[in-house]
């Protein structure tokens, strides 16, 4: 009457009272053996390669850095977005570098529950500011281009760590 589902074992309460479930123990041993045989996913896969390549193509064809350089001083939205992005990255570095590496706090989101929402909110606000600042250049394509750049950077960083 024992059933083994992935890693959890469900036995009838009557059998638990009378005897141990031998098939459950062998099922657990077999599942741990399967877990040990699984290989980790490669860092460079089709998904990450696509986003990195798409980011490179967008950077090249829309003259991304030239456009950023020309519009940096013309829009206050760009400066506000840059400041918000700097705040967001500073909080992320504080969490990763200081709390996790120096202090050894792995669950910093449990100990400091406001850090993750504040970082997320400032990053989203920075994205909105960058969209407003560059809207006159690429119009309705601005969110798509900025999202492609964002995903390319995220996938590039995931290759490093």
């Amino acid at each position: 009457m024992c059933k083994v589902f992935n890693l959890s074992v469900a036995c009838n309460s009557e059998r638990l009272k009378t005897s141990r479930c031998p098939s459950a123990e062998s099922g657990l041993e077999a599942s741990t053996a399967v877990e040990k045989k699984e290989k980790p996913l490669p860092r460079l896969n089709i998904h990450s390669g696509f986003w990195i390549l798409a980011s490179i193509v967008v950077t090249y064809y829309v003259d991304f850095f030239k456009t950023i350089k020309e519009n940096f001083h013309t829009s206050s939205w760009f400066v506000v977005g840059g400041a918000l992005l700097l705040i967001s990255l500073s909080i992320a570095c504080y969490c990763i570098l200081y709390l996790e590496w120096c202090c050894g706090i792995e669950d910093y989101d449990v100990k400091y529950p406001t850090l993750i929402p504040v970082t997320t909110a400032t990053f989203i606000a920075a994205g909105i500011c960058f969209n407003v600042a560059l809207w006159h250049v690429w119009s309705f394509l601005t969110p798509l281009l900025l999202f492609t750049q964002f995903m390319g950077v995220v996938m590039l960083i995931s290759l490093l760590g």
Side-chain angles (χ1 to χ4, degrees), residues 64-161:
F64 188 78
F65 293 117
K66 180 182 176 187
T67 305
I68 299 298
K69 189 173 121 181
E70 290 173 357
N71 290 299
F72 181 72
H73 299 291
T74 60
S75 176
S76 61
W77 285 102
F78 201 84
V79 175
V80 172
L84 288 170
L85 183 64
L86 185 64
I87 291 169
S88 176
L89 292 175
S90 298
I91 296 172
C93 286
Y94 171 74
C95 290
I96 295 167
L97 299 176
Y98 180 72
L99 290 179
E100 192 168 342
W101 290 2
C102 294
C103 297
I105 301 172
E106 292 181 10
D107 294 330
Y108 49 82
D109 54 338
V110 174
K111 191 166 182 176
Y112 303 103
T114 58
L115 287 177
I116 304 292
V118 168
T119 306
T120 305
T122 55
F123 187 80
I124 290 171
I128 291 170
C129 290
F130 288 139
N131 277 293
V132 171
L134 296 170
W135 188 267
H136 71 278
V137 179
W138 296 308
S139 183
F140 64 92
L141 291 176
T142 304
L144 180 65
L145 296 175
L146 291 180
F147 181 75
T148 304
Q149 294 296 82
F150 166 72
M151 287 301 292
V153 168
V154 167
M155 293 300 156
L156 186 65
I157 290 171
S158 73
L159 290 178
L160 302 174

Side-chain angles (χ1 to χ4, degrees), residues 5-78:
F5 299 103
N6 294 337
L7 295 176
S8 62
V9 179
C11 292
N12 289 337
S13 60
E14 297 160 3
R15 281 195 62 127
L16 283 174
K17 292 177 186 175
T18 58
S19 68
R20 286 190 68 133
C21 186
S23 64
E25 291 175 8
S26 64
L28 283 176
E29 291 172 6
S31 65
T32 55
V34 171
E35 285 179 10
K36 291 179 183 176
K37 292 180 183 177
E38 291 180 10
K39 295 180 181 177
L41 294 174
R43 289 187 184 179
L44 182 61
N45 53 27
I46 295 172
H47 181 253
S48 61
F50 166 77
W51 282 113
I52 292 169
L53 184 64
S55 180
I56 291 168
V57 168
V58 164
T59 301
Y60 178 75
Y61 281 107
V62 300
D63 291 328
F64 188 78
F65 293 117
K66 180 182 176 187
T67 305
I68 299 298
K69 189 173 121 181
E70 290 173 357
N71 290 299
F72 181 72
H73 299 291
T74 60
S75 176
S76 61
W77 285 102
F78 201 84

